[in-house]
Amino acid sequence: MLHTHHHLLLFPSPFSFPSATKTLRSPTFPTPSIARASSPLRFRNRGRTITNSAPNGGVTETEQRKQPLYRAYPFHEIEPKWQRFWEHNRTFRTPDDDIDTKKPKYYVLDMFPYPSGAGLHVGHPLGYTATDILARYKRMQGYNVLHPMGWDAFGLPAEQYAIETGTHPKLTTMRNINRFRAQLKSLGFSYDWDREISTIEPDYYKWTQWIFLQLLKRGLAYQAEVPVNWCPALGTVLANEEVIDGVSERGGHPVIRKPMRQWMLKITAYADRLLEDLDDLDWPESVKEMQRNWIGKSEGAEMKFCILDSDGKERDMEIIVYTTRPDTIFGATYLVVAPEHSLLSSLVSTAQSKDVEDYVELASRKSDLERTELQKEKTGVFTGCYAKNPANGEAIPIWVADYVLGSYGTGAIMAVPAHDSRDYEFALKYNVPIRWVVMPDDKSIELEKAFPGEGVIVNSSNTLVVLDINGLSSKEAASKVVEWAEKSGNGKRKVNYKLRDWLFARQRYWGEPIPVIFLDGSGETVPLRETELPLILPELDDFSPTGTGEPPLSKAVSWVKTTDSISGRPATRETNTMPQWAGSCWYYLRFMDPHNSRELVDKTKERYWGPVDVYVGGAEHAVLHLLYARFWHKVLFDIGVVSTKEPFQCVINQGIILGEVQYMAGRNQDGNLISADLADMLNEHNLERIPEEKVMKSGDSFVLKENPGIRLFARSHKMSKSRGNVVNPDDVVSEYGADSLRLYEMFMGPLRDSKQWSTSGIEGVHRFLGRTWRLIVGSPLPDGSFTDGTITVDEEPTIEQLRSLHKCIAKVTEEIEGTRFNTGISAMMEFLNVAYKWDINPRSVIEEFVLLLSPYAPHMAEELWSRLGHTRSLAYEPFPKENPAYLKDSMVILPVQINGKTRGTIQVEETCTEEDAFELASKDEKLSKYLHGQSVKKRIYVPGKILNVVLDRKNIKVAIQ
């Protein structure tokens, strides 16, 4: 058997291999057990239980001594070896100052993680593996690749843990970061760890504070009284996610909405640019649409409704409403103001004051989401006051209702129940008049409920105010009403946005300090000078809420009390901190220049690396993170810090990995198992999980093996501790290796789709890697070890071998470019199947295949590359390129006739000569019996079409007939 001798490898360069590799051993057993392990992950138990028996045959003790695991290849030695090598040699370091900017760049970035205490589960590496494949592929194509990793480390969970345990959040966070980093390194991701950043480090948040000062200078940061979630029992402000159904998640205490001084960022000033620039981005259309809806640009009008006194006379007060349908103004039969509307207290009559007060207090306990839920029953209270409809002069009632938000539009609406479903439900419930003013163009539509569409205007004329829009289309009428309103002083054209300014303050300790002070006495806001940054978060022993609404930082008295560095006057520091979003708004820029102490990012480096070419993360960040980052980037563009209008050219949302399928059956009151759908129908919720080994498929359903009449629910859920379906990647790596995990997560299905985890699935790709190893290295020796080197040979490959290789190269390249990694793996599997049929494995073909495999399974690829005799890492080897000459399938099926009758076919090259075609036909098992020993009179050959052999009939042997 031919194989190369293993080379002695030294360290001639940063990409050279470690010294000589020892023989790798992988003990094997003839019949490894495949019993299920007791672990909830249900990995295969490849060990054996050894029982020691007493001399008389009785069992004296059972030792659960596990024999070494059977391994398809020695990943347990290969992977740590190459991870140490990459780290020691800084293989994936992107040069900081001496980079060749003539080469093309590729900046591929993961949405950096919050380092939670739970560590990674197998859903996290899905996106990380995809970006790593792209990074490795582009390096091999000659690009300068920027592929960094860092930590979005400020956040609520660490602070809550600190409150509960007294552990400083920095200690918890650093411990979690160390765990995350170790897990990521164990998966072989090619991050440039020299660029690692964390949002909690002063050297980083110095520049977050610097950005805040630039926003403040430009009037884009301001203070306002805004409602927050206040929990009196806990004495603290709660984030939205800490409030569930109007009570605190911790303790179940009532939560109310209470106005508090907050910092706001004027993102609304950039609404149009944020909207318009979406068109040029290579983002999922669904994400762009979500941002458009969140910004919510609408064109309409602001209309003035004069408030009437108890005698029906106009008061010197008016309510301004915003409407997108000014064409329906004649149908406005009541007004609604939000519970927090500034004029509400001036509107309420004495008789209604108690009811309104109670209603406002009730509404204060609800979140904006609860209040605007379309499905919820509409509620409200009459204020006892009326307003005048400017179009028809009618007195219409003013109600207060929580389905109108003070933060949207003007905090008041004109209600047109005939043409708005929410207003219609409200009007029916409270017996408010409904007037139809728009008739649909489609006469078949019956007006039995609200008609929100456009049509022809009716019942809309008032000669007293010179306004008649009857017979006009909705669009024509809207334009005419706005024109009339502007001339008469009853309103004006208005563009509105759903987008609200960004509430940029948290009453928490664990966040970036806001770099402003307030002068004692006057309360004047004074920003810190840039030379005073970073303003470092002070150490605290007590992180618990103050109980007064003051943030925990107010406890750091010696830090809070300060002096203005310019005037020398005594001052007080801001004790609110920035929200977690702050640090993640600009981190992609810091990765370009992470050690710069003079400026946020060097302009030359930013011009080279920006924008991010591919940004991969979950769809849950489609709006807030991406919108906030775009806003900050545009501000930085305006002040000359960055050179591009947008931060992320291409965004990819990876799908969710669901837990393994769970099979469920019901159990009735007698304790007997029943079909899950029957239990569901009977409203019996005591479903219980059935082990997979007790389940079988029956048609389109799953049933109980021992009783096929019992049908089971088969469901996959998002991984969570509460469901007990979390799969830890550490366990997978230990059992199958990191390359198997990487390969499986890419093979499960399209990157953007959700898919379910399956242990049997990872075993399949693990077998593929084992077959790859044996194809190149050979089978294990009797003692389980593998020979040094490989079993490849230095021989020229055949045409067929080259065709198989180059088809694989073309397919894998195309699929990486299209991020269709699963089909790229399929192409390599097909190649492997073909290669196993070869008598020999030419080194040149195998080397190209190893390079193809390397972005997906880098540890194995590096080891094989080393065994093939190379003294440098393959990380920067040129990625294989297909040769078009080998992609064309030049083989044809040629019909063969004997004396004009088709007797069979042969496979030949298109350029095959007549002589070669005849020789192939003569050797063909089926055709040879017609030609053997016969005298050929003539041959008729049309290349690629037909071969007709005419035999000498005088000499045809009887046996052939």
Side-chain angles (χ1 to χ4, degrees):
M1 184 175 292
L2 296 171
H3 66 272
T4 62
H5 294 289
H6 195 84
H7 292 251
L8 181 64
L9 304 177
L10 302 174
F11 279 80
S13 79
F15 312 117
S16 62
F17 293 147
S19 57
T21 306
K22 65 180 181 180
T23 301
L24 299 175
R25 297 181 180 276
S26 181
T28 58
F29 305 107
T31 54
S33 166
I34 58 170
R36 291 286 187 192
S38 59
S39 162
L41 306 185
R42 302 211 314 270
F43 291 137
R44 305 291 186 187
N45 179 0
R46 294 185 175 87
R48 297 183 296 178
T49 299
I50 301 174
T51 303
N52 292 340
S53 301
N56 62 1
V59 177
T60 58
E61 62 175 328
T62 300
E63 295 181 354
Q64 296 291 334
R65 292 193 318 215
K66 260 194 163 184
Q67 297 297 301
L69 291 174
Y70 166 80
R71 293 184 173 92
Y73 68 99
F75 63 84
H76 63 298
E77 297 185 21
I78 292 171
E79 292 180 353
K81 165 189 169 183
W82 288 104
Q83 288 161 18
R84 288 191 300 269
F85 168 77
W86 293 327
E87 185 163 2
H88 177 80
N89 289 278
R90 298 160 76 195
T91 303
F92 307 113
R93 176 182 172 271
T94 301
D96 198 21
D97 296 315
D98 54 346
I99 194 165
D100 181 2
T101 56
K102 294 178 183 177
K103 292 172 65 175
K105 66 92 181 178
Y106 191 73
Y107 187 177
V108 56
L109 183 64
D110 299 293
M111 292 185 184
F112 72 165
Y114 172 75
S116 68
L120 297 175
H121 64 63
V122 292
H124 292 109
L126 179 64
Y128 302 157
T129 304
T131 57
D132 195 58
I133 290 171
L134 291 171
R136 289 175 177 274
Y137 168 69
K138 289 294 184 178
R139 279 192 202 97
M140 297 173 77
Q141 287 193 319
Y143 284 73
N144 288 325
V145 171
L146 186 56
H147 187 40
M149 176 52 72
W151 317 105
D152 189 11
F154 279 125
L156 204 54
E159 183 159 353
Q160 287 176 323
Y161 185 77
I163 293 169
E164 293 166 8
T165 66
T167 308
H168 196 285
K170 183 159 189 177
L171 296 177
T172 307
T173 302
M174 293 308 299
R175 182 169 63 242
N176 294 346
I177 285 175
N178 291 336
R179 172 164 165 71
F180 263 67
R181 188 191 301 110
Q183 287 184 299
L184 292 176
K185 286 185 176 182
S186 76
L187 295 172
F189 297 133
S190 61
Y191 295 125
D192 178 0
W193 288 106
D194 284 5
R195 292 175 183 261
E196 180 182 7
I197 58 176
S198 173
T199 57
I200 64 173
E201 296 302 327
D203 287 348
Y204 180 86
Y205 67 69
K206 166 186 177 178
W207 298 106
T208 309
Q209 293 171 336
W210 182 86
I211 294 172
F212 178 85
L213 292 180
Q214 311 316 306
L215 292 163
L216 191 60
K217 284 180 189 176
R218 286 155 183 80
L220 296 171
Y222 64 96
Q223 295 179 82
E225 290 279 326
V226 296
V228 296
N229 299 315
W230 170 252
C231 179
L234 296 177
T236 185
V237 172
L238 301 179
N240 286 333
E241 59 267 27
E242 295 177 283
V243 182
I244 299 174
D245 297 329
V247 299
S248 62
E249 183 181 32
R250 182 164 53 93
H253 303 294
V255 175
I256 62 171
R257 300 282 280 173
K258 173 183 175 180
M260 266 190 169
R261 180 187 62 82
Q262 301 284 324
W263 281 99
M264 308 292 292
L265 297 188
K266 204 169 185 179
I267 190 173
T268 50
Y270 282 74
D272 281 326
R273 287 167 63 182
L274 289 167
L275 197 59
E276 292 161 5
D277 292 344
L278 282 171
D279 294 338
D280 299 326
L281 298 177
D282 180 15
W283 289 19
E285 195 54 43
S286 60
V287 172
K288 293 201 281 188
E289 194 59 27
M290 286 172 72
Q291 290 213 359
R292 291 187 187 106
N293 292 335
W294 190 266
I295 296 167
K297 182 177 181 179
S298 62
E299 296 182 1
E302 281 186 350
M303 306 297 294
K304 297 178 182 178
F305 286 73
C306 191
I307 296 170
L308 304 176
D309 61 20
S310 57
D311 296 325
K313 295 180 180 178
E314 295 183 7
R315 294 168 59 183
D316 187 20
M317 191 185 300
E318 58 193 18
I319 291 179
I320 297 175
V321 305
Y322 173 76
T323 177
T324 58
R325 294 293 302 274
D327 57 311
T328 65
I329 190 167
F330 283 90
T333 57
Y334 65 103
L335 297 184
V336 179
V337 296
E340 55 272 12
H341 196 285
S342 60
L343 291 180
L344 179 58
S345 59
S346 304
L347 303 175
V348 182
S349 68
T350 304
Q352 291 296 106
S353 61
K354 181 67 169 67
D355 289 344
V356 171
E357 185 180 326
D358 290 346
Y359 184 80
V360 169
E361 197 278 329
L362 187 66
S364 72
R365 300 180 187 176
K366 300 179 182 178
S367 69
D368 289 354
L369 193 61
E370 289 175 282
R371 286 171 54 177
T372 55
E373 171 99 40
L374 290 176
Q375 311 305 324
K376 85 173 186 76
E377 183 181 3
K378 306 300 178 287
T379 62
V381 173
F382 176 45
T383 64
C385 187
Y386 290 81
K388 178 182 176 181
N389 184 325
N392 57 24
E394 291 182 359
I396 58 177
I398 304 172
W399 288 71
V400 56
D402 64 6
Y403 74 88
V404 175
L405 300 177
S407 59
Y408 178 65
T410 64
I413 64 163
M414 66 176 206
V416 185
H419 303 291
D420 182 278
S421 58
R422 293 183 308 170
D423 298 344
Y424 183 79
E425 291 173 28
F426 190 93
L428 284 180
K429 180 175 180 178
Y430 294 107
N431 200 27
V432 180
I434 299 173
R435 179 180 298 122
W436 304 92
V437 294
V438 181
M439 299 301 290
D441 293 325
D442 184 352
K443 304 303 180 185
S444 65
I445 297 177
E446 296 183 11
L447 299 179
E448 297 178 350
K449 56 183 180 179
F451 170 64
E454 297 184 348
V456 178
I457 304 301
V458 297
N459 302 324
S460 300
S461 176
N462 183 1
T463 56
L464 293 177
V465 297
V466 196
L467 179 61
D468 181 1
I469 55 175
N470 281 333
L472 298 180
S473 69
S474 290
K475 286 184 179 178
E476 292 170 329
S479 180
K480 188 170 181 179
V481 168
V482 173
E483 184 181 339
W484 165 82
E486 290 180 330
K487 285 183 179 179
S488 63
N490 285 304
K492 62 181 180 180
R493 193 177 306 277
K494 179 74 174 176
V495 175
N496 204 24
Y497 301 89
K498 287 182 183 177
L499 180 67
R500 302 292 89 201
D501 281 343
W502 177 7
L503 196 159
F504 195 75
R506 294 169 66 247
Q507 289 69 47
R508 296 287 178 175
Y509 166 70
W510 193 231
E512 298 93 338
I514 295 174
V516 298
I517 58 175
F518 305 101
L519 297 182
D520 290 358
S522 67
E524 179 187 349
T525 302
V526 177
L528 294 188
R529 291 185 295 177
E530 292 178 11
T531 55
E532 296 179 80
L533 301 181
L535 173 59
I536 294 176
L537 188 67
E539 293 290 330
L540 276 185
D541 296 324
D542 180 10
F543 322 103
S544 60
T546 60
T548 64
E550 284 293 312
L553 269 181
S554 62
K555 297 177 183 180
V557 178
S558 61
W559 180 84
V560 172
K561 293 300 179 182
T562 187
T563 303
D564 177 19
S565 61
I566 298 175
S567 67
R569 293 169 58 185
T572 303
R573 294 194 190 278
E574 171 63 79
T575 53
N576 285 316
T577 53
M578 298 186 193
Q580 187 176 354
W581 301 107
S584 62
C585 276
W586 70 279
Y587 73 103
Y588 59 94
L589 293 172
R590 195 59 178 172
F591 279 137
M592 300 176 185
D593 193 12
H595 309 298
N596 193 333
S597 60
R598 300 179 311 279
E599 54 188 334
L600 185 148
V601 61
D602 177 81
K603 286 182 170 55
T604 302
K605 293 175 182 177
E606 184 279 327
R607 278 195 297 271
Y608 179 70
W609 287 115
V612 175
D613 294 285
V614 175
Y615 193 35
V616 177
E620 67 271 18
H621 301 297
V623 175
L624 296 182
H625 162 61
L626 288 174
L627 196 63
Y628 293 158
R630 293 180 64 220
F631 164 46
W632 276 30
H633 191 89
K634 289 182 183 301
V635 174
L636 294 173
F637 175 77
D638 289 348
I639 64 176
V641 175
V642 299
S643 59
T644 62
K645 293 192 300 181
E646 289 286 337
F648 315 115
Q649 185 55 37
C650 173
V651 167
I652 296 174
N653 296 137
Q654 82 273 14
I656 297 171
I657 293 184
L658 305 172
E660 289 208 65
V661 175
Q662 296 181 348
Y663 302 96
M664 311 295 290
R667 196 174 285 278
N668 63 19
Q669 294 177 344
D670 298 328
N672 299 318
L673 287 175
I674 59 174
S675 293
D677 53 354
L678 183 60
D680 207 37
M681 203 163 51
L682 295 174
N683 204 26
E684 295 186 24
H685 299 293
N686 52 337
L687 296 175
E688 69 178 61
R689 189 170 173 181
I690 305 298
E692 186 180 357
E693 56 267 22
K694 294 184 178 182
V695 177
M696 70 177 188
K697 188 86 184 290
S698 177
D700 293 332
S701 305
F702 291 92
V703 298
L704 207 58
K705 279 183 181 177
E706 60 188 28
N707 186 353
I710 296 179
R711 298 177 303 280
L712 309 175
F713 280 150
R715 293 172 176 167
S716 289
H717 300 277
K718 189 174 180 178
M719 289 187 184
S720 68
K721 282 184 179 179
S722 61
R723 291 190 180 275
N725 63 350
V726 172
V727 178
N728 188 328
D730 298 350
D731 297 331
V732 181
V733 170
S734 174
E735 184 81 3
Y736 299 101
D739 284 343
S740 292
L741 176 60
R742 292 169 59 109
L743 208 64
Y744 175 57
E745 297 220 349
M746 295 298 96
F747 191 58
M748 292 171 78
L751 175 63
R752 295 161 178 81
D753 292 358
S754 293
K755 40 251 173 192
Q756 66 188 38
W757 178 268
S758 168
T759 301
S760 60
I762 196 169
E763 289 171 347
V765 296
H766 187 65
R767 285 193 296 271
F768 161 71
L769 289 175
R771 294 184 72 219
T772 300
W773 179 264
R774 293 190 298 276
L775 175 77
I776 301 171
V777 175
S779 299
L781 300 174
D783 66 351
S785 66
F786 289 91
T787 57
D788 294 343
T790 68
I791 57 172
T792 58
V793 296
D794 292 316
E795 292 190 13
E796 286 297 315
T798 66
I799 293 293
E800 284 310 307
Q801 287 173 329
L802 290 171
R803 281 190 180 134
S804 296
L805 171 66
H806 284 273
K807 284 181 180 178
C808 184
I809 292 172
K811 184 66 174 175
V812 171
T813 303
E814 179 185 356
E815 301 308 82
I816 291 179
E817 290 282 358
T819 64
R820 296 179 294 270
F821 305 113
N822 55 321
T823 46
I825 296 169
S826 295
M828 289 188 281
M829 289 178 170
E830 290 171 11
F831 172 84
L832 194 70
N833 289 337
V834 172
Y836 258 91
K837 298 175 183 177
W838 298 342
D839 295 329
I840 58 170
N841 300 323
R843 179 191 305 280
S844 60
V845 171
I846 295 302
E847 285 184 342
E848 295 284 276
F849 177 69
V850 168
L851 293 174
L852 280 184
L853 180 65
S854 65
Y856 291 87
H859 305 89
M860 173 181 277
E862 287 276 25
E863 180 66 23
L864 293 174
W865 192 248
S866 164
R867 284 169 167 265
L868 286 163
H870 297 279
T871 57
R872 293 169 65 91
S873 167
L874 55 65
Y876 295 88
E877 289 294 320
F879 196 79
K881 292 183 178 179
E882 74 271 17
N883 185 335
Y886 297 119
L887 299 182
K888 186 179 178 182
D889 194 350
S890 59
M891 302 297 288
V892 296
I893 303 299
L894 187 73
V896 179
Q897 293 182 344
I898 308 294
N899 288 337
K901 189 171 183 178
T902 301
R903 296 293 187 180
T905 60
I906 55 174
Q907 188 174 20
V908 299
E909 295 273 355
E910 281 183 336
T911 56
C912 182
T913 64
E914 179 181 330
E915 197 61 43
D916 288 341
F918 181 72
E919 183 179 349
L920 285 170
S922 301
K923 293 178 179 178
D924 183 82
E925 183 180 356
K926 184 177 179 182
L927 295 170
S928 61
K929 67 179 183 179
Y930 295 99
L931 298 174
H932 182 68
Q934 302 299 315
S935 174
V936 177
K937 185 175 182 181
K938 66 175 180 177
R939 297 191 301 240
I940 302 169
Y941 179 61
V942 181
K945 300 293 184 183
I946 196 168
L947 170 64
N948 187 6
V949 181
V950 180
L951 302 179
D952 188 346
R953 291 186 176 275
K954 294 180 182 179
N955 297 319
I956 294 178
K957 295 182 179 180
V958 176
I960 294 178
Q961 300 173 356

